[in-house]
Structures are given as structure tokens and as C-alpha cells.
Amino acid sequence: MTDEIKGMDRLLKLLDEIGSINISEGVRKATVAVQGYAKANCPEDTAQLVNSIQCMYQDNPHAGEYTGITYTNLPYAGFVEFGTGPRGQEAHAGISPNVTVSYTQKSWWIHESQIDLHTAERYKWFYINTPEGKFYLCTGQPAHPYMYPALKDHEDEVVDIISKSIEEQIRRMGH
């Protein structure tokens, strides 16, 4: 057959260019969106936890792996997400089903130097005054998931952000 298919050269060039699509761009945009949802859902009233929520990216194009990570490295972040003590075990709806949490069943005492007055009053903890200072009796706190729902509740949007990034790159290739 000597007749060429009309537009075949253009199609072959476009298919070749599709192989160079940068998935990383969409993953980065989606990760920033998840970070925004995590910050918006974070129950912290001092803003320290909210401000600690960061993004990180790991690209390995040779293996076809593009990873976006939203995280916080504050030591108490998990206590907020999953809850603590008997109260956390009673009220932990919305946490990841892939995480097994072990809750202590005993109350514990917190010295006033380990917690700010505003937080202690908010939880209405019982306290005792001693020569060493005030001690609050803590029975835990309910879970306040903010990280897991940031992704889980927006999975379709994350996929859509990545898809739109790819579509935009293909459109730019189409000249």
C-alpha cells in the first residue's frame, strides 16, 4: 500500500511526545490540595499543629513512581488524629481503618508545666493542688482526624487534579 494515512506523521510525533509527560506536576498540585484540606480540618487552636503540616515529593521517573506526602512531625500530632485513652477509644470515628491504635485504659496525671491553662480548662479536667503545683487528671481525648480525611474524602479530586495536569500537557503538545 503506497498511500499514507493522512496525519500519521503528526500522530506518531504526538504519541512520542506523550511519553515525556511530567506526572510529577499533577502529583505536586494534588499533594498541595491535600495539605490544604488537612490544615482546614485540623482542630488545633494554637495554630502550631496547623502550621506544621507540610508537603514532600519523591519522584523516581525511571521506576514510574511519583509520590506526594503530606505530613506533620510534631510529637503530639498522632494523639490529635487518633485520640488518647478511654475517650479516644470511645470516639475515634474517621481515623484510617489501616491503622491499629492501642489506647491506654488508665487515667494519668499531667503537671501544669506540661499543659497550658487554656487547654486544661477547655477539657474541664479535674485537678488537685499540691506543693509541687497543679495536677490535672486526664482520661484522654476523642480523635480529631484531619490528615486521613484530607486524602480519603477528596480522592476523586486528587485523581481529577492529576488527570487535568496530564490533559493540559497533552493539549500543549497538540499545537
Side-chain angles (χ1 to χ4, degrees), residues 141-156:
Q141 67 179 18
H144 295 283
Y146 58 99
M147 293 294 274
Y148 178 70
L151 176 60
K152 187 64 178 167
D153 294 349
H154 302 280
E155 286 176 316
D156 291 342

Side-chain angles (χ1 to χ4, degrees), residues 89-111:
Q89 186 167 2
E90 290 171 8
H92 62 264
I95 69 170
S96 172
N98 300 319
V99 176
T100 303
V101 181
S102 177
Y103 296 95
T104 183
Q105 296 305 306
K106 296 180 182 178
S107 301
W108 61 94
W109 293 94
I110 302 174
H111 187 264

Side-chain angles (χ1 to χ4, degrees), residues 5-166:
I5 298 174
K6 191 171 188 172
M8 180 61 89
D9 289 341
R10 184 170 176 237
L11 176 61
L12 290 173
K13 181 180 179 213
L14 183 59
L15 289 173
D16 188 49
E17 289 176 348
I18 287 175
S20 66
I21 287 179
N22 183 357
I23 304 294
S24 180
E25 179 181 322
V27 170
R28 288 175 190 268
K29 287 179 181 178
T31 304
V32 168
V34 171
Q35 177 191 31
Y37 290 124
K39 286 183 172 200
N41 292 330
C42 187
E44 180 69 26
D45 40 59
T46 65
Q48 183 180 17
L49 183 55
V50 173
N51 292 332
S52 75
I53 299 171
Q54 302 296 315
C55 291
M56 180 170 83
Y57 316 99
Q58 297 173 342
D59 296 345
N60 186 354
H62 298 297
E65 297 173 356
Y66 300 88
T67 306
I69 301 166
T70 300
Y71 69 96
T72 174
N73 59 2
L74 286 182
Y76 66 88
F79 300 138
V80 176
E81 177 86 7
F82 301 115
T84 60
R87 288 175 123 180
Q89 186 167 2
E90 290 171 8
H92 62 264
I95 69 170
S96 172
N98 300 319
V99 176
T100 303
V101 181
S102 177
Y103 296 95
T104 183
Q105 296 305 306
K106 296 180 182 178
S107 301
W108 61 94
W109 293 94
I110 302 174
H111 187 264
E112 65 185 338
S113 66
Q114 297 173 307
I115 193 162
D116 64 273
L117 181 61
H118 171 74
T119 301
E121 288 177 350
R122 186 179 75 209
Y123 287 111
K124 298 176 177 43
W125 288 331
F126 171 80
Y127 66 89
I128 58 171
N129 284 310
T130 72
E132 289 81 31
K134 189 179 281 189
F135 285 85
Y136 296 96
L137 180 63
C138 183
T139 58
Q141 67 179 18
H144 295 283
Y146 58 99
M147 293 294 274
Y148 178 70
L151 176 60
K152 187 64 178 167
D153 294 349
H154 302 280
E155 286 176 316
D156 291 342
E157 183 179 340
V158 166
V159 170
D160 191 48
I161 290 169
I162 295 169
S163 296
K164 284 182 179 175
S165 175
I166 292 169

